Amino acid sequence: MADSALFPLNDEHKMIRDTARDFAQKEIAPIAAQFDESGEFPLETIRKMGALGFMGLQVPEKYGGAGMDTMSYVLALTEICKADAAHGVVMSVNNSLYCHGILTFGTDEQKEKFVRPIATGKAIGAYSLTEPMSGSDASNMKSRATRDGDFYVLNGRKSWVTSGPVADYFVVFMMTDLEKKAKGISAFLVDGKTPGLTRGKKESKLGIRASATSELIFEDCRVPAANRLGAQGEGFRIAMTVLDVGRIGIGAQALGIAEAAYEASVVYAREREAFGQKIGEFQGIGFKIADMKTRIEASRLLLYNAAMAKDLAKESGERFSLQASIAKLFASETAMFCAHAAVQIHGGLGYSRELPLERYFRDAKITEIYEGTSEIQRLVISRAELGLR
Ligand code: CAA
């Protein structure tokens, strides 16, 4: 299909998309099923993605990154997720939840120390907001950071941390002033080797099984005050600002899964015969193909729109929460729709582990849950439209 008329791609966009596609199909697609089955973290291919610059695509070159725009990021991430969404979420968290926050709110020293190793692919970053009793209601966290001279002492338990078991550095959100609620939260950059920080058991998940997820347990974990990101009490704003970028990434992940499911379905519908004709000639299948394609193209435009809004916001300082939430909501529901349709089109084969359709189906579900459930996206969109925030 021709490129979007509304968002024409420049040569750099096409180059990064084609590089990512080539790498993903050669290096990731052949191992995706094996790592999904074992649940092992694919460190070798993640390191190779780092060497190609995919872990810091938008990080300025002066901090070791590729210095590209958000459209490039969306294009590359979609291609990686088309091959394997588990590799994709590691890339998404590194670029958006981790690097973007430090680049936006950090000091030069923090960028040098905490962004460079991630952007050059030598280390892995993670973001830790959720707690066992506060997921969607993120500001209701209970973990505490108490100032002690030149240090903060961190105590508490964080959950559902993507790359928790393997990350070298974390952006962690903790309460510094319980009475102030959202305005009492602060953000900290924590080296994974800091005494007092332990990683909980690795979660066993329905999908994106090769990405490693765990709890983090903080017991009198002393972090230098110089590692506070932003001002004391600014943490919730940082967490939300960063999630706006993260949601574009998860939208791209969802688009990649949807495209993979769709492309396999088109091939199958053209080849498979039943009742003396190709199954694609039955309207029951043909209309499914039409609905998948329509939703995929709508998701793509919404994502490109959110990517452009984010890049424009660099100058204007305006929030792009609405565009990011709309894109994430629509793309994640499209991923679920397409993966469901693809399994149905393939029948028994779709249900079998011989083909990747059932993996797409399991992987798609998380895009409706993490970095804000579909219900939270609807809340963000409706509040914005009704002028409630
Ligand atoms: N950008 C900047 N500031 C923002 C913001 C944004 N996108 N959203 C809210 N804020 C600010 C508000 O302006 C407000 O500040 P003021 O008081 O100065 O006006 C402050 O933050 C509090 O905002 P709200 O009153 O809207 O906060 P709330 O408690 O009602 O929560 C919410 C809003 C949208 C529900 C939010 O809590 C939310 O997004 N929840 C979902 C959390 C989430 O996505 N968690 C996933 C974690 S990451 C993960 O999934 C794991 C992983 O590793 C991938």
Side-chain angles (χ1 to χ4, degrees), residues 89 93 97 127 129-130 135-139 159-162 182-183 236-237 240-241 243-244 247 250 319 321 369-373 376-377 379-380 383 389:
V89 72
V93 168
L97 294 190
Y127 169 100
L129 176 71
T130 301
S136 291
D137 187 7
S139 65
S159 47
W160 296 113
V161 184
T162 298
K183 292 224 164 21
F236 194 66
R237 190 168 81 85
M240 291 296 116
T241 304
L243 272 172
D244 284 343
R247 287 166 184 167
I250 301 307
R319 271 172 57 176
S321 317
I369 297 174
Y370 60 13
E371 302 199 26
T373 60
I376 288 296
Q377 307 313 326
L379 185 81
V380 171
R383 278 181 176 181
R389 283 287 184 280

